[in-house]
Amino acid sequence: MKKGDVLENIVVETMAAEGKCVSRIDGLVLFMEGGAPGDTVDVQLTKIKSSFLEGRVTTVKQLSPSRSQPFCTHFGLCGGCSWQHIGYDAQLVYKQKQVADNLQRLGGLELPPLQTIVPSAKTRFYRNKLDYTFSAQRWLTREEMEKKKALENPAEAMPPQPALGYHIPRKYDLVFDVTECHLQPDPSNAIRLAVKDEALKAGIVFFDLRKQVGFLRTITIRTANTGEVMIILQVTYDKMEWTEKILRRLEKDFPQITSFNYIINGKKNDTFHDLDIICWKGNPYITEQMPKPDGSGVLQFRVGPKSFYQTNSDQAYQLYKLAWEMAELKGHERVYDLYTGTGTIANFVAAQAQKVVGLEYVAAAIEDAKVNSRINNITNTDFYAGDIKDLLDESFLSQHGTPDTIITDPPRAGMHEAVCGMILKAAPQRIVYVSCNPATQARDLSILADQYEILRVQPVDMFPHTVHVENIVSLRKK
């Protein structure tokens, strides 16, 4: 076999953790772009290694019974919902398998039987936050490029067409124009279309990602389950005539918008955690609601432009309630909530704990966490900002008390080895580890495995039609 060869009539066996299809050929693992488990396909090889092959599906000869008709016109181009062509029940099977494979194969862990994955009640329009990118030139298909080359005056016949949409996967400078997205509820689509319409009518310049010139950079739309909507418009320089043109159109057309914000960003990237947010009108936040875990009332969470909040609000409640159940709090415990973010988990479990101490490396998030405690009349939480591997040390434990329970919800990279080491020194009776990346979770759990036994493994699907899966593991000190 050599690169470029086409292998015929390959039956797709399963899905890998990163979302690629998998088969075995002559003892080698074949990873494929495209296809679905159960398909019979032809595959062109793109990489050959001693232990595995990579390829792309060129022809689907027989469709799998687990196939589903994609619902989005952008499927295959957008990287957002790459599993639309697989039925939701089958997606759940492969996500659960992903969790088991990572914990057993990568972590070498002894596991109890996995709990059945918790599905998302909503499989479309479940996200509360989307980021759209402006581009002075929309991405052209291969057919459009060939047509343009054949024209005598391509610049006149096919002038640049601006876009407001998503990046092509793995292409920082290519953006395709989104006509409809099925990820966020109304009025998200209408807002995006109105912004583009107003910008084109007013001649407002879209940003050129290669040349780094232009005015309109990104727009973020955040929706809350209270019905409130936040807009964050990012521009490259201060030209209020253009900024207000967009914001006034949105104010006129969408009474649901309760928070209008803009950012002036002259950097070479779109990150704005280090920039000032200007609230043009309305509140500088929107409010999410979540039932208390014991059913005794409702919690309020303020979400600002820089705040992290789980992007599937309904499923976040299911995730946090499961973590609360697995913590088995009796009311006397001192709980440490590592990577607390805006304090959602800390405030969620506080009523069933004696004290909750939240740690987070983003200082602005800690200020949000304190506000969320205050507006919910929660008085038994303390929050501290700093790099957790430096913050969580013996001095901190001595000052704030040794935890009985630790709940940790780190980013995709998992916990630093030093944090795992300090957890072992703190020796809490129980640990609840919430993870958005079972691979790094497996690595961390293998460090804790000598002193802790795994009691329960509970996958949760937060992101339907994607390869991603959330997982909760409860551990008890041996």
Side-chain angles (χ1 to χ4, degrees):
M1 289 185 291
K2 63 181 184 298
K3 184 177 176 181
D5 283 354
V6 175
L7 306 179
E8 298 183 341
N9 299 319
I10 303 298
V11 177
V12 178
E13 297 171 11
T14 186
M15 301 291 287
E18 67 274 17
K20 292 183 179 179
C21 290
V22 181
S23 289
R24 289 187 178 274
I25 305 295
D26 297 332
L28 297 176
V29 178
L30 171 61
F31 296 101
M32 295 165 279
E33 295 277 2
D39 283 348
T40 302
V41 299
D42 291 345
V43 181
Q44 185 175 43
L45 295 177
T46 57
K47 183 181 290 186
I48 298 176
K49 296 291 184 181
S50 59
S51 59
F52 69 92
L53 308 169
E54 289 187 4
R56 61 180 184 86
V57 172
T58 58
T59 307
V60 180
K61 291 187 171 178
Q62 185 172 332
L63 295 176
S64 164
S66 66
R67 279 234 175 208
S68 180
Q69 181 63 36
F71 50 79
C72 181
T73 57
H74 301 301
F75 176 74
L77 176 63
C78 175
C81 302
S82 58
W83 276 16
Q84 283 181 46
H85 64 305
I86 302 171
Y88 188 56
D89 288 345
Q91 292 179 30
L92 296 175
V93 169
Y94 294 112
K95 291 188 180 195
Q96 178 134 347
K97 182 178 182 298
Q98 179 188 145
V99 170
D101 286 350
N102 277 307
L103 297 188
Q104 291 171 332
R105 180 172 53 85
L106 295 181
L109 301 165
E110 292 185 16
L111 303 177
L114 265 67
Q115 301 292 307
T116 302
I117 187 170
V118 177
S120 176
K122 295 177 182 176
T123 58
R124 291 161 65 178
F125 307 112
Y126 60 84
R127 287 185 66 97
N128 56 40
K129 177 176 179 283
L130 284 180
D131 302 301
Y132 294 105
T133 300
F134 293 90
S135 176
Q137 170 64 67
R138 74 170 177 87
W139 179 83
L140 299 178
T141 65
R142 184 173 297 177
E143 293 76 14
E144 288 174 322
M145 288 295 293
E146 293 299 326
K147 180 181 177 181
K148 185 174 182 178
K149 288 178 184 177
L151 297 171
E152 287 187 15
N153 297 303
E156 295 179 9
M158 291 185 68
Q161 300 175 43
L164 178 54
Y166 298 133
H167 288 266
I168 299 289
R170 298 180 293 276
K171 301 290 185 182
Y172 84 94
D173 60 338
L174 298 179
V175 173
F176 70 92
D177 198 49
V178 172
T179 57
E180 183 180 15
C181 180
H182 297 259
L183 281 172
Q184 192 174 25
D186 291 335
S188 177
N189 276 304
I191 288 173
R192 185 193 65 256
L193 294 172
V195 168
K196 184 183 176 188
D197 176 68
E198 190 65 27
L200 292 176
K201 285 197 305 186
I204 303 174
V205 183
F206 287 35
F207 196 65
D208 188 308
L209 287 97
R210 286 193 176 182
K211 297 177 182 177
Q212 291 284 300
V213 296
F215 182 73
L216 292 170
R217 295 188 72 140
T218 67
I219 185 165
T220 299
I221 304 172
R222 302 191 80 151
T223 53
N225 57 13
T226 55
E228 297 176 357
V229 178
M230 172 184 286
I231 296 299
I232 311 163
L233 182 68
Q234 194 169 179
V235 300
T236 52
Y237 49 89
D238 189 359
K239 188 169 183 177
M240 284 306 298
E241 175 190 352
W242 279 356
T243 300
E244 291 194 340
K245 191 83 172 171
I246 300 290
L247 296 178
R248 286 199 182 104
R249 167 72 181 270
L250 295 180
E251 181 186 25
K252 177 175 72 72
D253 289 359
F254 302 98
Q256 307 97 316
I257 301 176
T258 56
S259 179
F260 296 83
N261 306 273
Y262 70 94
I263 301 164
I264 299 172
N265 180 2
K267 301 188 302 180
K268 292 186 180 296
N269 62 68
D270 295 329
T271 61
F272 57 81
H273 63 275
D274 56 337
L275 300 176
D276 291 333
I277 309 287
I278 302 161
C279 185
W280 179 75
K281 192 164 289 187
N283 294 321
Y285 58 84
I286 54 177
T287 303
E288 286 274 358
Q289 291 183 342
M290 184 177 290
K292 293 182 179 180
D294 61 359
S296 62
V298 175
L299 293 167
Q300 310 277 337
F301 293 107
R302 286 188 182 177
V303 180
K306 297 182 182 180
S307 299
F308 171 79
Y309 193 83
Q310 286 283 358
T311 50
N312 185 338
S313 299
D314 292 348
Q315 200 69 340
Y317 169 68
Q318 301 299 331
L319 183 78
Y320 295 162
K321 189 174 182 182
L322 284 164
W324 169 77
E325 290 173 357
M326 292 160 76
E328 296 186 10
L329 300 175
K330 301 295 188 290
H332 64 271
E333 295 90 350
R334 181 176 298 273
V335 178
Y336 276 23
D337 180 24
L338 307 185
Y339 310 91
T340 190
T342 54
T344 45
I345 292 179
N347 286 301
F348 190 76
V349 307
Q352 286 75 40
Q354 185 264 327
K355 185 76 173 178
V356 182
V357 178
L359 286 75
E360 167 63 41
Y361 63 93
V362 179
I366 287 297
E367 294 309 309
D368 289 338
K370 293 176 181 177
V371 169
N372 286 327
S373 286
R374 188 174 68 249
I375 64 175
N376 288 290
N377 298 313
I378 296 170
T379 58
N380 62 331
T381 57
D382 285 329
F383 297 99
Y384 301 92
D387 191 324
I388 296 176
K389 69 177 173 57
D390 301 323
L391 191 60
L392 185 63
D393 57 15
E394 292 183 6
S395 174
F396 189 94
L397 294 175
S398 176
Q399 182 178 354
H400 301 286
T402 302
D404 304 293
T405 301
I406 286 180
I407 301 174
T408 181
D409 185 8
R412 289 191 62 79
M415 297 191 294
H416 192 278
E417 188 176 356
V419 176
C420 294
M422 279 308 302
I423 289 176
L424 291 173
K425 285 186 178 181
Q429 288 300 307
R430 190 174 292 269
I431 301 169
V432 178
Y433 190 148
V434 182
S435 173
C436 60
N437 186 351
T440 54
Q441 185 185 43
R443 178 201 65 205
D444 296 343
L445 291 175
S446 67
I447 298 173
L448 304 175
D450 284 346
Q451 296 185 29
Y452 287 85
E453 62 175 325
I454 293 175
L455 299 180
R456 183 175 171 186
V457 180
Q458 178 63 72
V460 180
D461 185 27
M462 299 287 288
F463 308 108
H465 310 302
T466 76
V467 305
H468 303 296
V469 61
E470 204 94 5
N471 189 49
I472 316 171
V473 175
S474 67
L475 304 100
R476 180 174 60 199
K477 199 172 190 309
K478 290 180 181 178

